[in-house]
Amino acid sequence: LSASMAAQGEGEPKSLEEGMAEAEKYEGDPLDCPCIQHMKEGPCGDKFVVAYRCFLDSKEEERGSDCLESFKAMQMCFAEHPEHYKEFLGDDEEEDEDEEEEEKEGEGAAKENETKTASKPPTQEQKATDDKK
């Protein structure tokens, strides 16, 4: 094991794809790379190994296209165990949470404006209109 490979394996990758790409460059069996050990640990390790081994062995023109079911099973398992795999679930969940927060903030601001508008005293023009009714 070269020093550069050992150094690469020390930090956890930022995404599943980065870890898998780094493992492919590993000298020896990619499944032995320290860069993916955290994915092999935990309740979904077996599903990760099956999906990644399928990807490594894929002979399809679009590599891994024959492994979609294995990757779906792995992703579903990751989603069922976010306490262990949250960094590999993708940004979709974070984006959804951010969007929900923004919507709540927007709704709060709209309600605040309605309250301010409703609590303002009527203008002279509004009084004149109300008097005519």
Side-chain angles (χ1 to χ4, degrees):
L1 180 68
S2 69
S4 67
M5 285 292 185
Q8 282 181 353
E10 287 174 16
E12 289 189 9
K14 292 179 183 150
S15 71
L16 179 64
E17 291 81 12
E18 288 174 354
M20 290 171 51
E22 191 173 320
E24 282 189 82
K25 298 173 192 167
Y26 183 71
E27 295 171 12
D29 186 349
L31 283 165
D32 291 336
C33 181
C35 59
I36 59 169
Q37 290 309 305
H38 51 283
M39 289 181 254
K40 289 172 51 178
E41 297 167 356
C44 303
D46 58 334
K47 289 178 176 41
F48 170 77
V49 169
V50 168
Y52 191 45
R53 176 60 64 202
C54 179
F55 177 80
L56 291 171
D57 295 341
S58 178
K59 304 285 186 238
E60 294 296 314
E61 188 174 324
E62 185 178 334
R63 189 171 182 199
S65 62
D66 52 335
C67 306
L68 295 179
E69 290 303 314
S70 299
F71 276 100
K72 272 188 205 171
M74 179 193 73
Q75 285 292 336
M76 286 175 53
C77 185
F78 281 14
E80 290 170 7
H81 300 281
E83 71 284 354
H84 195 85
Y85 297 102
K86 66 182 174 191
E87 68 267 27
F88 305 111
L89 293 174
D91 294 337
D92 294 347
E93 289 188 6
E94 284 179 25
E95 287 174 13
D96 289 346
E97 288 173 12
D98 290 345
E99 287 174 12
E100 285 175 21
E101 284 178 31
E102 287 173 14
E103 284 176 17
K104 287 178 185 174
E105 287 172 10
E107 288 171 8
K111 286 180 184 175
E112 202 172 295
N113 286 340
E114 287 174 19
T115 305
K116 285 179 184 176
T117 305
S119 62
K120 285 183 183 177
T123 62
Q124 291 295 337
E125 192 174 299
Q126 288 171 331
K127 282 183 187 176
T129 306
D130 288 343
D131 290 341
K132 290 179 184 176
K133 290 181 184 175

